[in-house]
Amino acid sequence: MSTPLELGLDTFGDVTVDAAGTPLSSAQVIRNVIAEAELADSVGVDFIGIGEHHRDDFAISAPDMVLATIAGRTERIRLGTAVTVLSSDDPVRVFERFATLDAASSGRAEVILGRGSFTESFPLFGLDLADYEVLFNEKLDLFSQLLTEKPVSWEGTHRAPLHNQDVFPKTESGSLKTWIGVGGSPESVIRSVRYRIPMMLAIIGGDPARFAPYVDLYHRAQDEQGLPHMPLGTHSPGHIAATDELAREQLWPHFRENRNRIGAERGWPPVTEREYVEEIEHGSLYVGSPETVAAKIAKTAGILGLDRFDLKYASGPMQHETLLESIRLYGTEVIPAVREILARGK
């Protein structure tokens, strides 16, 4: 890490419940996410990332609209996605939307491009899942050219060609901060380097140290091309409360519901509490008191040499008030503690 570690938060806008356990409307969830981002800004969180989904258990299908509202209510926090499903979107429109967000937020916009772990957007927008690979590859190729902010000539198989076409607005700085979300394959790592777009690793299970070979490949590929090292980030789930016991107790039923709902769609067996505890103690679930979570984040950052760590703070239908407390603790206690641990280690 050549610069101080950035510490952010991510949410998918999970549909949450009220005190009686009744699911909230999507409209209320979106308003709550905006309030959560306002709190994150006020307590010193560096970044807020909002996911894109097109299904009934997540409220946010247009994260750029939510981010634009957050931009008008915050001062310093950086604003981005987690992720933008580029495969089922139009690269030109993605660039235009985020260049506009960058202007509205005085240069705070970021976009994290990815395939997405859900496929509902493909039939919704008339796309064939058989074209999964070629859609992402072609659209990423076009987007990488748009990032130059110069006239673009491009041709592919799933979109009309561009001939010396300019795209507006331009960003004020001349550069839209962009990442590629990577799940962990050598091909994805090499793709990130080839397009000179930094890598954001989605580490959602298992020991984070198992991703060290991908990080090594990321740096070696840059060295072989004579490139300066690009930033490296990671995204992992977690929850913070006053004590380890309370954090585990609060998250477990919501984690279980979320995991089992998705698992039923994908043929996974029901998750057990033993697996949950194992993931907290030895895997990539950052759950516990501020001291516990800070120590675990600092350890991961040190092992992988991170420039950014984003905690996915919401999993399942956990109440808004509980999420607010987790965010407050992250900003006021976890972030300072992580930076102190890392500073001591230098």
Side-chain angles (χ1 to χ4, degrees):
M1 293 173 288
S2 57
T3 57
L5 179 68
E6 293 182 346
L7 290 140
L9 289 168
D10 291 337
T11 179
F12 294 167
D14 304 60
V15 172
T16 52
V17 297
D18 63 17
T22 304
L24 300 178
S25 68
S26 292
Q28 185 60 54
V29 172
I30 290 169
R31 290 190 289 269
N32 287 349
V33 168
I34 293 167
E36 289 157 15
E38 289 183 81
L39 175 62
D41 181 61
S42 71
V43 296
V45 177
D46 294 318
F47 170 82
I48 182 75
I50 296 179
E52 172 195 345
H53 293 85
H54 303 269
R55 45 187 289 145
D56 63 2
D57 45 352
F58 299 108
I60 298 173
S61 60
D64 47 301
M65 295 293 292
V66 180
L67 291 166
T69 303
I70 293 169
R73 300 187 184 188
T74 55
E75 299 292 333
R76 45 163 300 282
I77 196 168
R78 295 191 61 83
L79 311 164
T81 48
V83 298
T84 290
V85 185
L86 187 64
S87 306
S88 58
D89 211 327
D90 183 83
V92 172
R93 289 297 288 146
V94 172
F95 181 85
E96 289 176 338
R97 295 197 304 264
F98 281 88
T100 300
L101 176 64
D102 198 62
S105 64
S106 299
R108 291 186 282 141
E110 299 185 13
V111 59
I112 303 178
L113 307 172
R115 304 164 186 265
S117 61
F118 296 85
T119 59
E120 287 82 5
S121 61
F122 286 80
L124 185 64
F125 299 123
L127 300 169
D128 190 339
L129 274 172
D131 298 324
Y132 186 83
E133 289 290 336
V134 69
L135 282 167
F136 185 73
N137 290 335
E138 286 193 357
K139 291 183 178 189
L140 180 61
D141 185 67
L142 173 54
F143 196 88
S144 71
Q145 294 186 45
L146 295 169
L147 288 174
T148 67
E149 304 199 22
K150 297 175 182 177
V152 169
S153 294
W154 179 90
E155 187 170 349
T157 61
H158 285 75
R159 189 199 186 283
L162 298 178
H163 302 289
N164 201 37
Q165 181 69 55
D166 232 344
V167 174
F168 302 97
K170 310 295 185 185
T171 63
E172 205 163 27
S173 67
S175 177
L176 175 64
K177 189 169 184 179
T178 304
W179 303 77
I180 296 179
V182 172
S185 73
E187 295 78 13
S188 297
V189 175
I190 295 299
R191 182 189 294 116
S192 168
V193 176
R194 183 169 73 248
Y195 286 112
R196 303 186 183 187
I197 299 176
M199 179 171 71
M200 179 68 69
L201 281 167
I203 304 180
I204 58 174
D207 186 347
R210 69 191 177 95
F211 283 81
Y214 298 107
V215 173
D216 180 61
L217 176 62
Y218 181 62
H219 292 311
R220 284 192 289 110
Q222 291 171 68
D223 290 339
E224 289 170 5
Q225 295 188 33
L227 302 174
H229 279 195
M230 298 186 295
L232 172 66
T234 190
H235 146 114
S236 293
H239 176 64
I240 307 155
T243 67
D244 290 348
E245 294 76 14
L246 180 59
R248 293 183 183 196
E249 178 185 327
Q250 287 179 337
L251 181 61
W252 166 238
H254 307 292
F255 176 90
R256 178 183 58 207
E257 180 174 338
N258 183 59
R259 165 69 185 274
N260 287 347
R261 181 180 63 248
I262 295 169
E265 299 171 4
R266 301 183 180 185
W268 302 341
V271 67
T272 67
E273 191 165 5
R274 181 176 179 179
E275 291 173 306
Y276 170 70
V277 171
E278 178 72 14
E279 196 61 48
I280 292 171
E281 295 181 350
H282 304 291
S284 296
L285 198 50
Y286 294 73
V287 176
S289 68
E291 297 79 11
T292 295
V293 173
K296 188 166 184 175
I297 291 173
K299 181 180 179 182
T300 298
I303 290 170
L304 300 180
L306 299 178
D307 297 282
R308 182 139 108 222
F309 178 93
D310 291 339
L311 181 78
K312 182 182 176 292
Y313 68 90
S315 291
M318 184 179 286
Q319 291 181 40
H320 171 57
E321 292 74 18
T322 308
L323 297 176
L324 288 174
E325 177 63 5
S326 184
I327 292 167
R328 186 190 69 79
L329 291 170
Y330 185 70
T332 60
E333 299 189 32
V334 173
I335 288 178
V338 170
R339 291 185 173 145
E340 182 180 347
I341 293 167
L342 295 176
R344 288 200 308 263
K346 288 184 178 179

PDB file of all heavy atoms in Angstrom, residues 239-252 273 276-277 280-281 285-296 329 334:
ATOM      1  N   HIS A 239     -20.623  -7.208   9.600  1.00  0.00           N
ATOM      2  CA  HIS A 239     -21.556  -6.482  10.467  1.00  0.00           C
ATOM      3  C   HIS A 239     -20.849  -6.167  11.777  1.00  0.00           C
ATOM      4  O   HIS A 239     -20.080  -6.982  12.297  1.00  0.00           O
ATOM      5  CB  HIS A 239     -22.805  -7.322  10.743  1.00  0.00           C
ATOM      6  CG  HIS A 239     -23.749  -6.683  11.704  1.00  0.00           C
ATOM      7  ND1 HIS A 239     -24.401  -5.494  11.436  1.00  0.00           N
ATOM      8  CD2 HIS A 239     -24.144  -7.052  12.961  1.00  0.00           C
ATOM      9  CE1 HIS A 239     -25.159  -5.164  12.474  1.00  0.00           C
ATOM     10  NE2 HIS A 239     -25.026  -6.098  13.409  1.00  0.00           N
ATOM     11  N   ILE A 240     -21.119  -4.984  12.314  1.00  0.00           N
ATOM     12  CA  ILE A 240     -20.444  -4.526  13.526  1.00  0.00           C
ATOM     13  C   ILE A 240     -21.479  -4.184  14.591  1.00  0.00           C
ATOM     14  O   ILE A 240     -22.514  -3.564  14.303  1.00  0.00           O
ATOM     15  CB  ILE A 240     -19.580  -3.283  13.229  1.00  0.00           C
ATOM     16  CG1 ILE A 240     -18.632  -3.572  12.058  1.00  0.00           C
ATOM     17  CG2 ILE A 240     -18.782  -2.848  14.452  1.00  0.00           C
ATOM     18  CD1 ILE A 240     -18.211  -2.330  11.313  1.00  0.00           C
ATOM     19  N   ALA A 241     -21.194  -4.594  15.817  1.00  0.00           N
ATOM     20  CA  ALA A 241     -22.016  -4.226  16.975  1.00  0.00           C
ATOM     21  C   ALA A 241     -21.081  -4.007  18.162  1.00  0.00           C
ATOM     22  O   ALA A 241     -19.860  -4.116  18.034  1.00  0.00           O
ATOM     23  CB  ALA A 241     -23.046  -5.308  17.277  1.00  0.00           C
ATOM     24  N   ALA A 242     -21.640  -3.714  19.308  1.00  0.00           N
ATOM     25  CA  ALA A 242     -20.820  -3.367  20.476  1.00  0.00           C
ATOM     26  C   ALA A 242     -19.915  -4.513  20.903  1.00  0.00           C
ATOM     27  O   ALA A 242     -18.794  -4.288  21.374  1.00  0.00           O
ATOM     28  CB  ALA A 242     -21.718  -2.939  21.634  1.00  0.00           C
ATOM     29  N   THR A 243     -20.379  -5.747  20.769  1.00  0.00           N
ATOM     30  CA  THR A 243     -19.591  -6.921  21.171  1.00  0.00           C
ATOM     31  C   THR A 243     -19.616  -7.960  20.056  1.00  0.00           C
ATOM     32  O   THR A 243     -20.502  -7.950  19.192  1.00  0.00           O
ATOM     33  CB  THR A 243     -20.142  -7.563  22.445  1.00  0.00           C
ATOM     34  OG1 THR A 243     -21.442  -8.119  22.164  1.00  0.00           O
ATOM     35  CG2 THR A 243     -20.242  -6.548  23.579  1.00  0.00           C
ATOM     36  N   ASP A 244     -18.672  -8.894  20.122  1.00  0.00           N
ATOM     37  CA  ASP A 244     -18.654  -9.980  19.148  1.00  0.00           C
ATOM     38  C   ASP A 244     -19.948 -10.789  19.212  1.00  0.00           C
ATOM     39  O   ASP A 244     -20.541 -11.149  18.189  1.00  0.00           O
ATOM     40  CB  ASP A 244     -17.473 -10.912  19.413  1.00  0.00           C
ATOM     41  CG  ASP A 244     -16.127 -10.285  19.096  1.00  0.00           C
ATOM     42  OD1 ASP A 244     -16.105  -9.199  18.458  1.00  0.00           O
ATOM     43  OD2 ASP A 244     -15.095 -10.866  19.486  1.00  0.00           O
ATOM     44  N   GLU A 245     -20.383 -11.081  20.430  1.00  0.00           N
ATOM     45  CA  GLU A 245     -21.569 -11.914  20.610  1.00  0.00           C
ATOM     46  C   GLU A 245     -22.812 -11.242  20.032  1.00  0.00           C
ATOM     47  O   GLU A 245     -23.629 -11.889  19.355  1.00  0.00           O
ATOM     48  CB  GLU A 245     -21.790 -12.209  22.095  1.00  0.00           C
ATOM     49  CG  GLU A 245     -20.713 -13.070  22.738  1.00  0.00           C
ATOM     50  CD  GLU A 245     -19.408 -12.305  23.017  1.00  0.00           C
ATOM     51  OE1 GLU A 245     -19.402 -11.047  22.960  1.00  0.00           O
ATOM     52  OE2 GLU A 245     -18.391 -12.978  23.272  1.00  0.00           O
ATOM     53  N   LEU A 246     -22.956  -9.940  20.280  1.00  0.00           N
ATOM     54  CA  LEU A 246     -24.132  -9.228  19.780  1.00  0.00           C
ATOM     55  C   LEU A 246     -24.110  -9.151  18.256  1.00  0.00           C
ATOM     56  O   LEU A 246     -25.146  -9.334  17.602  1.00  0.00           O
ATOM     57  CB  LEU A 246     -24.194  -7.827  20.386  1.00  0.00           C
ATOM     58  CG  LEU A 246     -25.382  -6.961  19.952  1.00  0.00           C
ATOM     59  CD1 LEU A 246     -26.703  -7.631  20.320  1.00  0.00           C
ATOM     60  CD2 LEU A 246     -25.291  -5.565  20.572  1.00  0.00           C
ATOM     61  N   ALA A 247     -22.953  -8.895  17.681  1.00  0.00           N
ATOM     62  CA  ALA A 247     -22.855  -8.807  16.222  1.00  0.00           C
ATOM     63  C   ALA A 247     -23.247 -10.125  15.569  1.00  0.00           C
ATOM     64  O   ALA A 247     -24.002 -10.162  14.591  1.00  0.00           O
ATOM     65  CB  ALA A 247     -21.437  -8.405  15.818  1.00  0.00           C
ATOM     66  N   ARG A 248     -22.745 -11.233  16.126  1.00  0.00           N
ATOM     67  CA  ARG A 248     -23.082 -12.546  15.561  1.00  0.00           C
ATOM     68  C   ARG A 248     -24.574 -12.840  15.704  1.00  0.00           C
ATOM     69  O   ARG A 248     -25.216 -13.350  14.786  1.00  0.00           O
ATOM     70  CB  ARG A 248     -22.268 -13.634  16.250  1.00  0.00           C
ATOM     71  CG  ARG A 248     -20.777 -13.561  15.974  1.00  0.00           C
ATOM     72  CD  ARG A 248     -20.041 -14.726  16.635  1.00  0.00           C
ATOM     73  NE  ARG A 248     -18.594 -14.631  16.431  1.00  0.00           N
ATOM     74  CZ  ARG A 248     -17.753 -15.636  16.619  1.00  0.00           C
ATOM     75  NH1 ARG A 248     -18.206 -16.807  17.043  1.00  0.00           N
ATOM     76  NH2 ARG A 248     -16.452 -15.477  16.416  1.00  0.00           N
ATOM     77  N   GLU A 249     -25.103 -12.520  16.870  1.00  0.00           N
ATOM     78  CA  GLU A 249     -26.520 -12.773  17.144  1.00  0.00           C
ATOM     79  C   GLU A 249     -27.411 -11.946  16.218  1.00  0.00           C
ATOM     80  O   GLU A 249     -28.429 -12.442  15.704  1.00  0.00           O
ATOM     81  CB  GLU A 249     -26.808 -12.435  18.607  1.00  0.00           C
ATOM     82  CG  GLU A 249     -28.260 -12.602  19.017  1.00  0.00           C
ATOM     83  CD  GLU A 249     -28.490 -12.126  20.441  1.00  0.00           C
ATOM     84  OE1 GLU A 249     -27.572 -12.262  21.283  1.00  0.00           O
ATOM     85  OE2 GLU A 249     -29.592 -11.603  20.707  1.00  0.00           O
ATOM     86  N   GLN A 250     -27.049 -10.686  16.014  1.00  0.00           N
ATOM     87  CA  GLN A 250     -27.871  -9.818  15.172  1.00  0.00           C
ATOM     88  C   GLN A 250     -27.867 -10.264  13.715  1.00  0.00           C
ATOM     89  O   GLN A 250     -28.899 -10.259  13.044  1.00  0.00           O
ATOM     90  CB  GLN A 250     -27.372  -8.375  15.269  1.00  0.00           C
ATOM     91  CG  GLN A 250     -27.687  -7.692  16.588  1.00  0.00           C
ATOM     92  CD  GLN A 250     -27.131  -6.270  16.631  1.00  0.00           C
ATOM     93  OE1 GLN A 250     -26.187  -5.914  15.913  1.00  0.00           O
ATOM     94  NE2 GLN A 250     -27.718  -5.436  17.477  1.00  0.00           N
ATOM     95  N   LEU A 251     -26.699 -10.634  13.215  1.00  0.00           N
ATOM     96  CA  LEU A 251     -26.595 -10.940  11.790  1.00  0.00           C
ATOM     97  C   LEU A 251     -27.126 -12.321  11.419  1.00  0.00           C
ATOM     98  O   LEU A 251     -27.690 -12.492  10.331  1.00  0.00           O
ATOM     99  CB  LEU A 251     -25.140 -10.811  11.330  1.00  0.00           C
ATOM    100  CG  LEU A 251     -24.894 -11.083   9.838  1.00  0.00           C
ATOM    101  CD1 LEU A 251     -25.674 -10.102   8.969  1.00  0.00           C
ATOM    102  CD2 LEU A 251     -23.408 -11.031   9.511  1.00  0.00           C
ATOM    103  N   TRP A 252     -26.951 -13.316  12.267  1.00  0.00           N
ATOM    104  CA  TRP A 252     -27.201 -14.695  11.888  1.00  0.00           C
ATOM    105  C   TRP A 252     -28.550 -14.940  11.218  1.00  0.00           C
ATOM    106  O   TRP A 252     -28.595 -15.517  10.114  1.00  0.00           O
ATOM    107  CB  TRP A 252     -27.002 -15.627  13.085  1.00  0.00           C
ATOM    108  CG  TRP A 252     -27.541 -17.010  12.890  1.00  0.00           C
ATOM    109  CD1 TRP A 252     -28.473 -17.646  13.661  1.00  0.00           C
ATOM    110  CD2 TRP A 252     -27.208 -17.956  11.853  1.00  0.00           C
ATOM    111  NE1 TRP A 252     -28.728 -18.907  13.186  1.00  0.00           N
ATOM    112  CE2 TRP A 252     -27.962 -19.124  12.067  1.00  0.00           C
ATOM    113  CE3 TRP A 252     -26.350 -17.913  10.762  1.00  0.00           C
ATOM    114  CZ2 TRP A 252     -27.899 -20.241  11.256  1.00  0.00           C
ATOM    115  CZ3 TRP A 252     -26.273 -19.031   9.928  1.00  0.00           C
ATOM    116  CH2 TRP A 252     -27.034 -20.179  10.180  1.00  0.00           C
ATOM    117  N   GLU A 273     -25.291 -22.937  11.200  1.00  0.00           N
ATOM    118  CA  GLU A 273     -24.666 -21.952  12.067  1.00  0.00           C
ATOM    119  C   GLU A 273     -23.173 -22.236  12.231  1.00  0.00           C
ATOM    120  O   GLU A 273     -22.370 -21.313  12.387  1.00  0.00           O
ATOM    121  CB  GLU A 273     -25.364 -21.911  13.430  1.00  0.00           C
ATOM    122  CG  GLU A 273     -24.931 -20.731  14.277  1.00  0.00           C
ATOM    123  CD  GLU A 273     -25.859 -20.468  15.442  1.00  0.00           C
ATOM    124  OE1 GLU A 273     -26.802 -21.264  15.660  1.00  0.00           O
ATOM    125  OE2 GLU A 273     -25.639 -19.458  16.147  1.00  0.00           O
ATOM    126  N   TYR A 276     -21.454 -20.605   9.399  1.00  0.00           N
ATOM    127  CA  TYR A 276     -21.478 -19.157   9.659  1.00  0.00           C
ATOM    128  C   TYR A 276     -20.347 -18.760  10.605  1.00  0.00           C
ATOM    129  O   TYR A 276     -19.576 -17.826  10.317  1.00  0.00           O
ATOM    130  CB  TYR A 276     -22.845 -18.810  10.240  1.00  0.00           C
ATOM    131  CG  TYR A 276     -23.027 -17.424  10.794  1.00  0.00           C
ATOM    132  CD1 TYR A 276     -23.068 -16.311   9.971  1.00  0.00           C
ATOM    133  CD2 TYR A 276     -23.207 -17.233  12.179  1.00  0.00           C
ATOM    134  CE1 TYR A 276     -23.275 -15.038  10.498  1.00  0.00           C
ATOM    135  CE2 TYR A 276     -23.420 -15.974  12.706  1.00  0.00           C
ATOM    136  CZ  TYR A 276     -23.450 -14.873  11.861  1.00  0.00           C
ATOM    137  OH  TYR A 276     -23.654 -13.614  12.389  1.00  0.00           O
ATOM    138  N   VAL A 277     -20.202 -19.467  11.707  1.00  0.00           N
ATOM    139  CA  VAL A 277     -19.148 -19.148  12.676  1.00  0.00           C
ATOM    140  C   VAL A 277     -17.769 -19.395  12.067  1.00  0.00           C
ATOM    141  O   VAL A 277     -16.836 -18.600  12.273  1.00  0.00           O
ATOM    142  CB  VAL A 277     -19.341 -19.997  13.959  1.00  0.00           C
ATOM    143  CG1 VAL A 277     -18.140 -19.844  14.884  1.00  0.00           C
ATOM    144  CG2 VAL A 277     -20.629 -19.584  14.675  1.00  0.00           C
ATOM    145  N   ILE A 280     -16.818 -16.500   9.963  1.00  0.00           N
ATOM    146  CA  ILE A 280     -16.439 -15.352  10.781  1.00  0.00           C
ATOM    147  C   ILE A 280     -15.023 -15.521  11.321  1.00  0.00           C
ATOM    148  O   ILE A 280     -14.200 -14.596  11.277  1.00  0.00           O
ATOM    149  CB  ILE A 280     -17.433 -15.163  11.948  1.00  0.00           C
ATOM    150  CG1 ILE A 280     -18.808 -14.730  11.425  1.00  0.00           C
ATOM    151  CG2 ILE A 280     -16.896 -14.136  12.956  1.00  0.00           C
ATOM    152  CD1 ILE A 280     -19.888 -14.733  12.481  1.00  0.00           C
ATOM    153  N   GLU A 281     -14.726 -16.712  11.814  1.00  0.00           N
ATOM    154  CA  GLU A 281     -13.450 -16.920  12.508  1.00  0.00           C
ATOM    155  C   GLU A 281     -12.275 -17.163  11.563  1.00  0.00           C
ATOM    156  O   GLU A 281     -11.136 -16.802  11.880  1.00  0.00           O
ATOM    157  CB  GLU A 281     -13.594 -18.078  13.492  1.00  0.00           C
ATOM    158  CG  GLU A 281     -14.580 -17.753  14.619  1.00  0.00           C
ATOM    159  CD  GLU A 281     -14.721 -18.877  15.628  1.00  0.00           C
ATOM    160  OE1 GLU A 281     -14.205 -19.984  15.371  1.00  0.00           O
ATOM    161  OE2 GLU A 281     -15.374 -18.653  16.675  1.00  0.00           O
ATOM    162  N   LEU A 285     -15.987 -13.211   6.425  1.00  0.00           N
ATOM    163  CA  LEU A 285     -17.140 -12.556   7.030  1.00  0.00           C
ATOM    164  C   LEU A 285     -16.623 -11.725   8.205  1.00  0.00           C
ATOM    165  O   LEU A 285     -16.136 -12.268   9.200  1.00  0.00           O
ATOM    166  CB  LEU A 285     -18.148 -13.612   7.497  1.00  0.00           C
ATOM    167  CG  LEU A 285     -19.589 -13.192   7.769  1.00  0.00           C
ATOM    168  CD1 LEU A 285     -20.172 -12.388   6.617  1.00  0.00           C
ATOM    169  CD2 LEU A 285     -20.442 -14.419   8.046  1.00  0.00           C
ATOM    170  N   TYR A 286     -16.720 -10.405   8.082  1.00  0.00           N
ATOM    171  CA  TYR A 286     -16.116  -9.473   9.042  1.00  0.00           C
ATOM    172  C   TYR A 286     -17.181  -9.054  10.048  1.00  0.00           C
ATOM    173  O   TYR A 286     -17.810  -8.005   9.919  1.00  0.00           O
ATOM    174  CB  TYR A 286     -15.533  -8.271   8.296  1.00  0.00           C
ATOM    175  CG  TYR A 286     -14.366  -8.659   7.410  1.00  0.00           C
ATOM    176  CD1 TYR A 286     -14.567  -9.357   6.219  1.00  0.00           C
ATOM    177  CD2 TYR A 286     -13.056  -8.363   7.777  1.00  0.00           C
ATOM    178  CE1 TYR A 286     -13.502  -9.739   5.414  1.00  0.00           C
ATOM    179  CE2 TYR A 286     -11.977  -8.734   6.973  1.00  0.00           C
ATOM    180  CZ  TYR A 286     -12.218  -9.430   5.806  1.00  0.00           C
ATOM    181  OH  TYR A 286     -11.162  -9.808   5.011  1.00  0.00           O
ATOM    182  N   VAL A 287     -17.364  -9.896  11.054  1.00  0.00           N
ATOM    183  CA  VAL A 287     -18.450  -9.729  12.014  1.00  0.00           C
ATOM    184  C   VAL A 287     -17.878  -9.671  13.416  1.00  0.00           C
ATOM    185  O   VAL A 287     -17.076 -10.522  13.808  1.00  0.00           O
ATOM    186  CB  VAL A 287     -19.464 -10.887  11.899  1.00  0.00           C
ATOM    187  CG1 VAL A 287     -20.540 -10.770  12.976  1.00  0.00           C
ATOM    188  CG2 VAL A 287     -20.091 -10.907  10.513  1.00  0.00           C
ATOM    189  N   GLY A 288     -18.310  -8.664  14.199  1.00  0.00           N
ATOM    190  CA  GLY A 288     -17.861  -8.594  15.581  1.00  0.00           C
ATOM    191  C   GLY A 288     -17.857  -7.179  16.099  1.00  0.00           C
ATOM    192  O   GLY A 288     -18.469  -6.263  15.533  1.00  0.00           O
ATOM    193  N   SER A 289     -17.145  -6.999  17.186  1.00  0.00           N
ATOM    194  CA  SER A 289     -16.965  -5.679  17.790  1.00  0.00           C
ATOM    195  C   SER A 289     -16.067  -4.842  16.897  1.00  0.00           C
ATOM    196  O   SER A 289     -15.381  -5.372  16.005  1.00  0.00           O
ATOM    197  CB  SER A 289     -16.316  -5.829  19.161  1.00  0.00           C
ATOM    198  OG  SER A 289     -14.974  -6.301  19.001  1.00  0.00           O
ATOM    199  N   PRO A 290     -16.011  -3.526  17.112  1.00  0.00           N
ATOM    200  CA  PRO A 290     -15.096  -2.703  16.318  1.00  0.00           C
ATOM    201  C   PRO A 290     -13.651  -3.196  16.375  1.00  0.00           C
ATOM    202  O   PRO A 290     -12.954  -3.196  15.356  1.00  0.00           O
ATOM    203  CB  PRO A 290     -15.249  -1.316  16.937  1.00  0.00           C
ATOM    204  CG  PRO A 290     -16.648  -1.304  17.470  1.00  0.00           C
ATOM    205  CD  PRO A 290     -16.878  -2.693  17.979  1.00  0.00           C
ATOM    206  N   GLU A 291     -13.199  -3.625  17.550  1.00  0.00           N
ATOM    207  CA  GLU A 291     -11.813  -4.096  17.692  1.00  0.00           C
ATOM    208  C   GLU A 291     -11.571  -5.353  16.850  1.00  0.00           C
ATOM    209  O   GLU A 291     -10.550  -5.475  16.164  1.00  0.00           O
ATOM    210  CB  GLU A 291     -11.506  -4.389  19.157  1.00  0.00           C
ATOM    211  CG  GLU A 291     -11.570  -3.179  20.083  1.00  0.00           C
ATOM    212  CD  GLU A 291     -12.983  -2.786  20.476  1.00  0.00           C
ATOM    213  OE1 GLU A 291     -13.937  -3.560  20.205  1.00  0.00           O
ATOM    214  OE2 GLU A 291     -13.152  -1.683  21.051  1.00  0.00           O
ATOM    215  N   THR A 292     -12.520  -6.284  16.900  1.00  0.00           N
ATOM    216  CA  THR A 292     -12.382  -7.539  16.149  1.00  0.00           C
ATOM    217  C   THR A 292     -12.381  -7.287  14.648  1.00  0.00           C
ATOM    218  O   THR A 292     -11.542  -7.820  13.912  1.00  0.00           O
ATOM    219  CB  THR A 292     -13.518  -8.500  16.530  1.00  0.00           C
ATOM    220  OG1 THR A 292     -13.383  -8.860  17.906  1.00  0.00           O
ATOM    221  CG2 THR A 292     -13.495  -9.753  15.672  1.00  0.00           C
ATOM    222  N   VAL A 293     -13.323  -6.482  14.186  1.00  0.00           N
ATOM    223  CA  VAL A 293     -13.437  -6.219  12.751  1.00  0.00           C
ATOM    224  C   VAL A 293     -12.236  -5.423  12.247  1.00  0.00           C
ATOM    225  O   VAL A 293     -11.685  -5.696  11.175  1.00  0.00           O
ATOM    226  CB  VAL A 293     -14.760  -5.506  12.432  1.00  0.00           C
ATOM    227  CG1 VAL A 293     -14.809  -5.067  10.969  1.00  0.00           C
ATOM    228  CG2 VAL A 293     -15.944  -6.422  12.747  1.00  0.00           C
ATOM    229  N   ALA A 294     -11.787  -4.446  13.035  1.00  0.00           N
ATOM    230  CA  ALA A 294     -10.623  -3.652  12.630  1.00  0.00           C
ATOM    231  C   ALA A 294      -9.392  -4.534  12.477  1.00  0.00           C
ATOM    232  O   ALA A 294      -8.629  -4.396  11.508  1.00  0.00           O
ATOM    233  CB  ALA A 294     -10.363  -2.548  13.646  1.00  0.00           C
ATOM    234  N   ALA A 295      -9.172  -5.435  13.436  1.00  0.00           N
ATOM    235  CA  ALA A 295      -8.004  -6.315  13.368  1.00  0.00           C
ATOM    236  C   ALA A 295      -8.066  -7.213  12.140  1.00  0.00           C
ATOM    237  O   ALA A 295      -7.044  -7.444  11.473  1.00  0.00           O
ATOM    238  CB  ALA A 295      -7.921  -7.156  14.638  1.00  0.00           C
ATOM    239  N   LYS A 296      -9.245  -7.698  11.812  1.00  0.00           N
ATOM    240  CA  LYS A 296      -9.387  -8.599  10.667  1.00  0.00           C
ATOM    241  C   LYS A 296      -9.189  -7.852   9.350  1.00  0.00           C
ATOM    242  O   LYS A 296      -8.535  -8.356   8.425  1.00  0.00           O
ATOM    243  CB  LYS A 296     -10.750  -9.275  10.706  1.00  0.00           C
ATOM    244  CG  LYS A 296     -10.909 -10.373   9.665  1.00  0.00           C
ATOM    245  CD  LYS A 296     -12.128 -11.233   9.959  1.00  0.00           C
ATOM    246  CE  LYS A 296     -12.226 -12.385   8.956  1.00  0.00           C
ATOM    247  NZ  LYS A 296     -13.328 -13.309   9.280  1.00  0.00           N
ATOM    248  N   LEU A 329     -20.431   2.673  13.967  1.00  0.00           N
ATOM    249  CA  LEU A 329     -19.261   2.042  14.576  1.00  0.00           C
ATOM    250  C   LEU A 329     -18.126   1.882  13.564  1.00  0.00           C
ATOM    251  O   LEU A 329     -16.951   2.036  13.902  1.00  0.00           O
ATOM    252  CB  LEU A 329     -19.643   0.685  15.158  1.00  0.00           C
ATOM    253  CG  LEU A 329     -20.549   0.715  16.390  1.00  0.00           C
ATOM    254  CD1 LEU A 329     -21.050  -0.686  16.730  1.00  0.00           C
ATOM    255  CD2 LEU A 329     -19.822   1.320  17.587  1.00  0.00           C
ATOM    256  N   VAL A 334     -13.981   1.615  13.812  1.00  0.00           N
ATOM    257  CA  VAL A 334     -13.224   0.650  13.006  1.00  0.00           C
ATOM    258  C   VAL A 334     -12.192   1.344  12.132  1.00  0.00           C
ATOM    259  O   VAL A 334     -11.007   0.959  12.122  1.00  0.00           O
ATOM    260  CB  VAL A 334     -14.176  -0.205  12.142  1.00  0.00           C
ATOM    261  CG1 VAL A 334     -13.373  -1.082  11.178  1.00  0.00           C
ATOM    262  CG2 VAL A 334     -15.066  -1.067  13.028  1.00  0.00           C
TER     263      VAL A 334
END
